[in-house]
């Protein structure tokens, strides 16, 4: 394939190691989130090697992919379960995040049918207005769940900084701790997890302002991209280039920077605007909007700038950059949405970098996969 995403597993393991120690120093356990990479088992393994002890994903398919490939740590289902999935969930998953009594009741019944108890974390809505029960309804929900024999509440959690972009604060996360305390007082038992959110809570943790009692964070973006999700700044000592996109140069020509002719709409229905920069050395690489949104890429070559892209052609101004030849490769830095889109694009080849050598992965997605068994946690031989 002419476009590929390379994942440097060594760098990811080092990020995980840093993240785990940073959080452990504040009594916080890290759950590594794999949804950005569609539950790619090699990526999960690299997180575990860095000291992450649990994984989580929002999709059942991704979790099953991890399990099929021998990833044997506890794995949480992060998206509130669908009623239609409960049977499969109780058979495959240790812990799920929940907020609906109807679904929890169905999970309980399904678990009893399979002679087991399913562990749940109750999600509490603290302002971001995505999933979760309102704090004032929390205890009432727990009372109703407490009589169900097939489920056990093992923790509470919240999610901020996603739909509403609400910043985690000592105030909203303080309310999570209040909920935990009222639970523990009412039921005379400790909660195993007080899960204070995702990567967006790291800023508070690093500032030493994460309310005491929070012992768990679910981290995807910051672990994988080495960045503080809120300020988009690199995290100290972490790699921000775990993911790189490569693409082949298919045309090199000198062209005027201004289009010629009457201007209508571009391929995507908007009116393009160009600045007159005279003649340019323009490269076309074999990448387009089918693979990734060009606005989320940055060419790593000094002086290279992206002019635009249609479905299959990405055009760069290379006038002030070092040149290569047709057939050469250009590399791009990627943000969260770019990685996400490239991971799900069947046109982008997935490659992993292990001990500085690149290895192609035959598959991209949970559905297309040729199953390969991991022989053991620390064994890379199967690559
Ligand atoms: C995606 C997700 C996370 C991880 O979010 P990041 O921003 O990638 O750290 C955590 N919890 C839930 C419920 C999620 O859906």
């Amino acid at each position: 394939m002419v476009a590929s995403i390379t994942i440097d597993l060594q760098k990811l393991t080092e990020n995980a190691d840093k993240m785990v120690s940073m959080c452990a120093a504040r009594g916080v356990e890290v759950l590594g989130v794999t949804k950005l990479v569609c539950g790619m088992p090699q990526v999960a393994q690299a997180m575990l090697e860095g000291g992450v002890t649990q994984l989580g994903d929002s999709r059942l398919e991704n979790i099953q992919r991890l399990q099929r490939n021998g990833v044997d740590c506890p794995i949480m289902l992060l998206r509130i379960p669908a009623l239609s999935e409960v049977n499969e969930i109780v058979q495959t998953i240790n812990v799920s995040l929940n907020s609906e009594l109807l679904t929890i009741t169905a999970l309980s019944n399904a678990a009893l049918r399979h002679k087991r108890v399913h562990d749940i974390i109750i999600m509490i809505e603290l302002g971001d207005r995505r999933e979760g029960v309102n704090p004032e309804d929390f205890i009432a929900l727990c009372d109703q769940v407490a009589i169900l024999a097939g489920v056990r509440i093992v923790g509470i959690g919240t999610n901020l900084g996603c739909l509403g972009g609400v910043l985690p604060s000592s105030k909203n996360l303080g309310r999570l701790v209040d909920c935990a305390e009222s639970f523990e007082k009412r039921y005379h038992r400790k909660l195993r997890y007080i899960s204070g959110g995702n990567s967006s809570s790291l800023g508070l943790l690093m500032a030493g302002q994460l309310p005491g009692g929070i012992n768990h964070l679910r981290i995807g973006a910051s672990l994988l991209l080495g960045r503080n999700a809120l300020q988009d700044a690199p995290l100290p000592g972490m790699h921000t280039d775990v993911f790189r996109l490569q693409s082949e140069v298919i045309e090199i020509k000198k062209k005027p920077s201004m289009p010629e002719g009457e201007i209508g709409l571009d391929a995507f229905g908007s009116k393009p605007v160009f600045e007159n920069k005279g003649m340019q050395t323009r490269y076309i690489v074999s990448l387009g909007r089918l693979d990734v949104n060009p606005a989320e890429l940055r060419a790593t070559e000094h002086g290279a700038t992206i002019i635009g892209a249609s479905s299959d052609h990405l055009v760069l101004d290379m006038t002030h950059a070092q040149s290569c030849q047709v057939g050469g490769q250009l590399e791009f830095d990627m943000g969260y949405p770019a990685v996400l889109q490239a991971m799900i694009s069947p046109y982008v080849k997935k490659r992993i970098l292990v001990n500085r050598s690149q290895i192609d992965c035959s598959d991209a997605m949970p559905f297309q996969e040729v199953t390969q068994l991991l022989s053991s946690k620390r064994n890379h031989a199967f690559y």
Side-chain angles (χ1 to χ4, degrees):
M1 275 189 212
V2 287
S4 57
I5 180 170
T6 303
I7 311 169
D8 189 322
L9 296 183
Q10 182 60 38
K11 287 182 177 169
L12 176 56
T13 294
E14 288 169 17
N15 279 3
D17 182 58
K18 286 242 159 57
M19 184 69 73
V20 167
S21 5
M22 180 171 89
C23 291
R26 288 157 172 104
V28 170
E29 190 175 7
V30 175
L31 173 142
V33 178
T34 53
K35 67 190 183 200
L36 183 63
V37 293
C38 308
M40 193 171 176
Q42 297 90 334
V43 172
Q45 212 60 43
M47 288 184 181
L48 295 175
E49 273 160 35
V52 166
T53 50
Q54 307 164 357
L55 298 171
D57 202 292
S58 48
R59 306 266 169 172
L60 196 52
E61 295 95 322
N62 292 349
I63 294 179
Q64 288 167 338
R65 178 185 188 186
L66 292 171
Q67 291 171 338
R68 273 202 308 281
N69 287 279
V71 175
D72 62 356
C73 69
I75 308 179
M76 280 188 198
L77 179 65
L78 300 182
R79 186 170 66 183
I80 305 299
L83 207 44
S84 57
E85 293 177 320
V86 295
N87 248 315
E88 229 172 326
I89 288 170
V90 298
Q91 292 178 75
T92 44
I93 288 172
N94 310 90
V95 188
S96 63
L97 275 43
N98 282 272
S99 64
E100 282 292 343
L101 182 61
L102 190 66
T103 310
I104 297 170
T105 308
L107 282 168
S108 174
N109 292 337
L112 291 176
R113 271 199 302 279
H114 290 98
K115 300 199 168 33
R116 55 183 77 183
V117 174
H118 180 72
D119 287 343
I120 60 172
I121 289 178
I122 301 286
M123 290 300 275
I124 300 176
E125 208 294 301
L126 294 171
D128 199 54
R129 305 290 183 248
R130 207 179 76 178
E131 77 275 43
V133 58
N134 294 321
E136 51 280 15
D137 302 327
F138 166 62
I139 287 295
L141 177 65
C142 292
D143 284 351
Q144 288 169 299
V145 172
I147 57 174
L148 302 172
V151 288
R152 176 174 53 200
I153 299 175
V154 293
I156 62 171
T158 194
N159 200 66
L160 294 159
C162 273
L163 184 68
V166 170
L167 301 178
S169 64
S170 26
K171 184 155 178 262
N172 52 30
L173 287 181
R175 292 179 81 190
L176 184 70
V177 178
D178 293 344
C179 286
E181 281 167 4
S182 46
F183 180 98
E184 291 175 352
K185 225 157 88 198
R186 186 168 176 85
Y187 297 101
H188 308 290
R189 68 179 175 91
K190 282 266 175 216
L191 287 171
R192 162 81 174 76
Y193 301 106
I194 303 176
S195 187
N198 52 43
S199 294
S200 66
S201 295
L202 285 171
L204 215 56
L205 177 133
M206 289 190 298
Q209 288 167 9
L210 199 69
I214 289 177
N215 62 9
H216 187 257
L217 291 177
R218 310 174 306 272
I219 308 287
S222 288
L223 197 52
L224 294 161
L225 304 174
R227 290 182 170 274
N228 181 333
L230 296 174
Q231 286 95 33
D232 197 32
L235 285 164
M238 289 202 199
H239 302 283
T240 56
D241 57 352
V242 169
F243 297 93
R244 278 283 167 86
L245 192 65
Q246 289 96 7
S247 177
E248 195 174 325
V249 179
I250 55 174
E251 187 191 283
I252 301 177
K253 300 219 181 294
K254 288 213 184 316
K255 294 185 188 181
S257 50
M258 298 304 286
E260 184 179 329
E262 200 182 335
I263 307 287
L265 299 179
D266 69 12
F268 282 77
S270 47
K271 192 146 189 158
V273 181
F274 292 95
E275 191 188 333
N276 193 349
K277 293 184 174 169
M279 289 299 282
Q280 291 177 323
T281 304
R282 287 191 170 207
Y283 281 37
I284 301 178
V285 297
S286 51
L287 204 59
R289 288 173 190 260
L290 253 62
D291 310 298
V292 67
N293 178 353
E296 291 149 7
L297 293 179
R298 198 184 59 81
T300 55
E301 186 63 58
H302 185 73
T305 51
I306 295 172
I307 294 170
S310 55
S311 301
D312 312 293
H313 299 78
L314 182 86
V315 181
L316 295 111
D317 176 7
M318 295 286 288
T319 314
H320 305 293
Q322 202 142 28
S323 60
C324 66
Q325 295 188 330
V326 167
Q329 298 261 323
L330 288 188
E331 270 203 347
F332 301 86
D333 277 339
M334 317 176 74
Y336 188 94
V339 175
L340 180 64
Q341 201 188 342
M343 288 305 295
I344 59 176
S345 172
Y347 301 108
V348 178
K349 187 168 200 65
K350 280 67 183 172
R351 287 193 164 132
I352 48 175
L353 200 57
V354 185
N355 301 331
R356 296 209 182 82
S357 47
Q358 284 198 2
I359 295 150
D360 291 352
C361 302
S362 52
D363 54 86
M365 314 268 280
F367 338 103
Q368 303 168 342
E369 185 167 22
V370 182
T371 305
Q372 274 180 314
L373 286 173
L374 289 177
S375 40
S376 89
K377 264 195 187 171
R378 300 198 171 271
N379 189 348
H380 275 135
F382 84 104
Y383 294 136

